[in-house]
């Protein structure tokens, strides 16, 4: 039977590179594949694009209130063997439950690639539910500039770490915004100025 699988990590852990590699491997074996991503991720428009410029086309863009079990979406994925979902942290709790249902009711393997936490160090809604519902979880890691394993996605605006603002601001859309993977010690030091938030 199929499973719901999660690959998660901070920025720059190669989640999208892994998705594109998986997409290539499954396609090579003629596995019927559907690629989805949330509408809120406007990066790359209707493609998934890595930092090195590789890209694949997205089959289904998921609006915030979409019900993935409705006929409109079901008809698009019903013959698929695999569904890959990029930036799954931006999906709602209900949409994650729907993906879990698709895996176990319709026997379609669903693989989600997601950021674990937002720039304030809290779980995204989609990630939180993915931790609750995924049958398999794999952490992807990257080192902080100090050499320790990164835990946080710090937001930097014009080169300065900040701890305020909206949860979702897509980098690349705003030139001045970037996300930096930091370990706990560097996050406490550079972002929280050694205070408890
Ligand atoms: Zn560090």
């Amino acid at each position: 039977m199929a499973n719901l699988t999660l690959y998660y990590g901070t920025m720059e852990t190669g989640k999208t590179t892994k998705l594109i590699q998986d997409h290539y491997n499954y396609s090579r074996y003629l596995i019927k594949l559907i690629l989805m991503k949330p509408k809120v991720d406007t990066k790359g428009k209707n493609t998934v694009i890595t930092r090195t410029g590789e890209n694949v086309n997205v089959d289904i863009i998921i609006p915030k209130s979409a019900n993935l079990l409705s006929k409109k979406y079901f008809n698009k994925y019903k013959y698929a063997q695999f569904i890959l979902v990029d930036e799954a942290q931006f999906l709602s709790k209900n949409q994650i439950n729907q993906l879990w249902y698709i895996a176990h009711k319709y026997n379609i393997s669903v693989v989600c690639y997601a950021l674990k936490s937002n720039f304030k160090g809290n779980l995204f809604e989609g990630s939180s539910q993915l931790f609750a519902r995924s049958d398999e979880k794999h952490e992807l890691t990257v080192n902080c500039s100090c050499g320790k394993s990164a835990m946080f996605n710090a937001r930097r605006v014009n080169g300065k770490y900040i701890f305020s603002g909206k949860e979702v601001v897509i980098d690349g859309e705003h030139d001045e915004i970037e996300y930096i993977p930091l370990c706990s010690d560097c996050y406490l030091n550079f972002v929280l100025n050694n205070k408890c938030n």
Side-chain angles (χ1 to χ4, degrees):
M1 286 298 285
N3 273 340
L4 174 61
T5 301
L6 168 64
Y7 288 93
Y8 68 94
T10 63
M11 305 292 281
E12 296 178 27
T13 48
K15 293 182 299 302
T16 305
T17 303
K18 167 119 188 76
L19 180 150
I20 286 179
Q21 186 65 44
D22 290 347
H23 191 278
Y24 173 77
N25 288 340
Y26 294 135
S27 307
R28 214 169 50 156
Y29 294 111
L30 304 176
I31 288 172
K32 288 195 201 79
L33 201 61
I34 288 286
L35 176 57
M36 301 184 182
K37 78 169 187 179
K39 196 175 180 187
V40 65
D41 177 50
T42 47
K43 202 161 37 180
K45 298 203 169 72
N46 57 348
T47 64
V48 165
I49 187 159
T50 65
R51 281 166 209 282
T52 52
E54 297 161 285
N55 68 83
V56 285
N57 282 327
V58 176
D59 303 296
I60 300 177
I61 306 261
I62 309 170
K64 195 115 196 117
S65 57
N67 177 359
L68 296 170
L69 303 180
S70 66
K71 221 172 190 160
K72 177 181 167 190
Y73 293 100
F74 178 72
N75 284 336
K76 291 183 185 173
Y77 65 69
K78 63 184 174 186
Y79 298 120
Q81 292 164 283
F82 270 79
I83 293 173
L84 307 185
V85 188
D86 194 32
E87 307 286 357
Q89 72 276 3
F90 294 141
L91 297 181
S92 69
K93 179 181 170 183
N94 286 343
Q95 287 168 337
I96 299 298
N97 291 351
Q98 290 156 13
L99 290 173
W100 175 85
Y101 184 89
I102 290 165
H104 293 284
K105 177 75 176 170
Y106 303 135
N107 197 26
I108 300 171
S109 296
V110 180
V111 188
C112 291
Y113 306 79
L115 280 176
K116 184 175 73 173
S117 52
N118 63 23
F119 75 106
K120 292 184 177 176
N122 301 320
L123 290 175
F124 284 98
E125 180 179 338
S127 314
S128 168
Q129 197 61 8
L130 278 164
F131 282 117
R133 289 294 183 99
S134 295
D135 302 287
E136 279 180 48
K137 300 167 197 68
H138 305 275
E139 184 170 17
L140 303 172
T141 57
V142 69
N143 282 350
C144 177
S145 61
C146 74
K148 284 191 208 157
S149 195
M151 275 268 298
F152 292 87
N153 300 301
R155 182 181 287 173
R156 211 154 63 169
V157 180
N158 296 320
K160 216 173 156 258
Y161 288 112
I162 57 149
F163 193 69
S164 60
K166 289 194 297 183
E167 180 178 56
V168 182
V169 180
I170 308 290
D171 57 333
E173 271 185 355
H174 305 266
D175 284 345
E176 69 283 10
I177 289 186
E178 54 183 345
Y179 291 95
I180 312 290
L182 293 181
C183 73
S184 289
D185 292 335
C186 290
Y187 189 82
L188 178 60
N189 189 14
F190 300 140
V191 182
L192 299 180
N193 296 316
N194 290 308
K195 293 191 189 92
C196 185
N197 59 303

